[in-house]
Amino acid sequence: QQFSIIMDPRVETPEYALQQQFDLSMTCYNGEKQMTDILHDIHSLQAQVKNIQAKAKGDEAQSLKDFSAKLLLFENTGMGTGTKGFRSLFNSFASLQGILQGADMQPTTQCTKQVQITRNQFMVMFKEWKDFRDGIPALNKKLKGAGLAILKI
């Protein structure tokens, strides 16, 4: 049996506006998904650091303390002036997606602009996160040299 899907006749929003709504919603969804993965990695690394710190001494203990402090910055406040941490960016995307999905109408210019701003902030933070993660092998070398467990991501 065949069936057809048709637009609700009560919706008067043009197709291009609904496409814009969809595209912005997908930007928010993908941002939330990426941040969920990053926040999971941050929490995993924090747990590993906590376990290793109990056995670390001296320079290795300080390196782990500094590493843990940077993880907290990435999660909560961001790495620079005026930036947001991944948790705040996640919340921004979730709020924007709620606004976008609240009605079948063209997104406001304010909402459209805020999605782009949040996406740009995420891209800056993601690059910083990637650079930070690239430093993990050097820390692992130091930990291994001291007979400690290494960090796994």
Side-chain angles (χ1 to χ4, degrees):
Q1 183 178 16
Q2 291 186 356
F3 65 93
S4 297
I5 298 174
I6 61 169
M7 177 70 83
D8 183 335
R10 297 170 293 180
V11 176
E12 297 178 5
T13 307
E15 189 175 329
Y16 75 87
L18 293 174
Q19 184 64 50
Q20 181 186 22
Q21 179 191 37
F22 174 79
D23 293 343
L24 291 170
S25 293
M26 287 305 295
T27 297
C28 293
Y29 169 79
N30 289 328
E32 288 176 79
K33 185 175 180 325
Q34 288 176 295
M35 280 177 275
T36 297
D37 293 341
I38 292 169
L39 289 168
H40 177 268
D41 289 347
I42 288 172
H43 295 154
S44 173
L45 287 167
Q46 282 288 26
Q48 292 175 62
V49 166
K50 186 177 179 181
N51 289 334
I52 299 168
Q53 268 182 323
K55 300 170 190 141
K57 294 180 176 30
D59 192 37
E60 291 78 19
Q62 186 61 48
S63 292
L64 287 168
K65 183 179 177 183
D66 295 343
F67 185 84
S68 180
K70 286 181 182 177
L71 287 173
L72 287 173
L73 287 175
F74 274 111
E75 180 176 4
N76 296 313
T77 60
M79 296 302 286
T81 306
T83 61
K84 295 180 177 181
F86 287 118
R87 181 170 308 285
S88 178
L89 290 169
F90 177 92
N91 291 337
S92 293
F93 274 135
S95 294
L96 289 164
Q97 188 172 27
I99 291 167
L100 288 163
Q101 293 299 305
D104 288 329
M105 48 191 306
Q106 184 167 8
T108 64
T109 55
Q110 296 90 339
C111 185
T112 301
K113 183 177 178 181
Q114 196 57 49
V115 169
Q116 191 59 47
I117 288 169
T118 304
R119 180 71 181 154
N120 290 344
Q121 289 174 336
F122 169 73
M123 295 306 293
V124 168
M125 281 297 294
F126 183 75
K127 183 186 180 321
E128 290 177 12
W129 171 246
K130 192 171 178 264
D131 292 345
F132 176 74
R133 281 185 46 183
D134 289 347
I136 292 176
L139 177 57
N140 278 340
K141 185 176 179 180
K142 188 180 215 179
L143 295 172
K144 190 173 184 179
L148 297 167
I150 62 170
L151 299 170
K152 298 175 186 159
I153 210 166

